Amino acid sequence: MERKTADNLGVLLRSYEALYNWRALVVLAGSFAVAGLAIIGGSDMAMGGGGRMAVAMLLGLVALVVAVMGVNGSGLMLADQAYDRPIRSFMSAFLGGLRVTLAAIGVLVVLALGYALVLLVVFLLALLARIPGIGGAFAFVFAGPSVLVLALTVAVLLLAAPLALAGLWHGDGMTAALTRAVTIVVKRPLDVFMRFLVLGLIVMPAALFLFAMVGMGDMSVTGMYLVDALRSMGGTYGGMGGGGYGGMGPMAALFGSLMGQGLGAAGVSTALVWYLAIAVVGLIHMLGVIWIYESVSDGSG
């Protein structure tokens, strides 16, 4: 992309061009769907208790890994789009997503350790204020600057992470992406924050509209399947006893019967639609983060 175009704040309006990248949408939505199904399966197993809890936790971990890899794989495809490169294949995005995920974990660990180190230094300086006689002078000298340092550290922690991720999607190594992101935030914290704020204001209307439409459709369709399930059950649910279902009585029996009548399958199906809606919004935001990274970076590398 041209530098002049990237420096224009209005380039964030082009974040909606992410929807033209159908490959990235397939990767992101597909990963969310697989992760969501794993979470649903894990939740069902967790309700069974016993040894199933370990399997449920394993499925939860698998869901997290799949979702993160999907985000990074689609992020690589969006970076190809933003920098006018040929969109990579699904396999290349998958393998690249794994590499970026490992690097992203490293970035988060380094940022967290950096914050902990700064917090430790501030704490040690605060101990000087306990020295009898001269403690007040140390408190006056160090307290104010400590507030500024901690504020800047929090800004780096919150803003440098997405910028570093965009750098990894761009093709930078972990060290280069982290160094550039931290440098940008330290030099231009308010500039970076305002760009993320503008991006949020751009994405929010689409998110509200899309979620509202899907929500209304979900309530209507779920109501239809609920009525059909109750009708197909006839009057049998009224005489369900309290045996079984862990002693929860007729309400548990009714819930189990409704799930058996297809309401559970309908819920899983509608959940997949929600994952698609979330992927659409996420894709728009991710391309916006790439535009922000390009607009605030120095263009080197």
Side-chain angles (χ1 to χ4, degrees):
M1 69 183 75
E2 295 182 1
R3 187 71 192 166
K4 182 178 180 181
T5 302
D7 285 336
N8 184 3
L9 193 60
V11 74
L12 293 177
L13 292 172
R14 296 180 56 193
S15 300
Y16 287 91
E17 294 180 4
L19 301 181
Y20 300 149
N21 194 333
W22 65 270
R23 291 185 179 181
L25 181 59
V26 168
V27 171
L28 189 60
S31 64
F32 283 178
V34 173
L37 292 175
I39 291 175
I40 293 174
S43 300
D44 290 340
M45 289 187 176
M47 293 178 65
R52 295 184 176 182
M53 184 62 68
V55 179
M57 295 177 62
L58 178 61
L59 286 176
L61 179 61
V62 170
L64 178 62
V65 172
V66 170
V68 173
M69 288 181 60
V71 169
N72 288 319
S74 59
L76 291 172
M77 289 180 165
L78 290 174
D80 291 338
Q81 176 184 355
Y83 294 101
D84 298 323
R85 300 191 295 242
I87 307 299
R88 66 193 66 200
S89 64
F90 290 112
M91 181 57 66
S92 178
F94 176 80
L95 297 177
L98 176 60
R99 175 186 59 80
V100 172
T101 297
L102 296 176
I105 293 174
V107 167
L108 293 178
V109 169
V110 172
L111 288 175
L113 290 177
Y115 177 75
L117 179 61
V118 172
L119 200 61
L120 177 62
V121 172
V122 171
F123 173 74
L124 294 177
L125 291 177
L127 293 179
L128 297 177
R130 301 180 183 181
I131 300 177
I134 61 174
F138 282 118
F140 176 79
V141 172
F142 293 122
S146 295
V147 172
L148 295 177
V149 170
L150 277 180
L152 185 59
T153 303
V154 172
V156 169
L157 192 64
L158 296 178
L159 300 177
L163 289 180
L165 191 58
L168 293 175
W169 296 340
H170 176 270
D172 298 337
M174 188 191 81
T175 303
L178 179 61
T179 302
R180 177 178 292 183
V182 171
T183 302
I184 290 171
V185 176
V186 170
K187 290 182 177 180
R188 308 164 60 181
L190 291 179
D191 186 15
V192 175
F193 170 75
M194 290 304 299
R195 291 174 187 272
F196 274 105
L197 179 61
V198 171
L199 176 61
L201 294 176
I202 291 174
V203 176
M204 186 182 300
L208 293 176
F209 175 78
L210 187 58
F211 292 159
M213 296 300 101
V214 173
M216 289 189 294
D218 187 7
M219 288 188 294
S220 300
V221 172
T222 301
M224 295 176 188
Y225 279 89
L226 177 60
V227 172
D228 290 339
L230 291 173
R231 183 181 297 113
S232 64
M233 289 170 58
T236 57
Y237 62 87
M240 291 181 179
Y245 298 98
M248 295 179 64
M251 290 304 297
L254 173 59
F255 179 76
S257 297
L258 287 175
M259 295 299 102
Q261 292 295 330
L263 187 60
V268 173
S269 180
T270 55
L272 294 177
V273 178
W274 277 106
Y275 298 144
L276 176 60
I278 295 173
V280 169
V281 176
L283 207 68
I284 297 172
H285 189 270
M286 289 164 60
L287 183 56
V289 172
I290 294 175
W291 291 128
I292 290 175
Y293 174 78
E294 175 62 18
S295 65
V296 297
S297 65
D298 59 7
S300 62

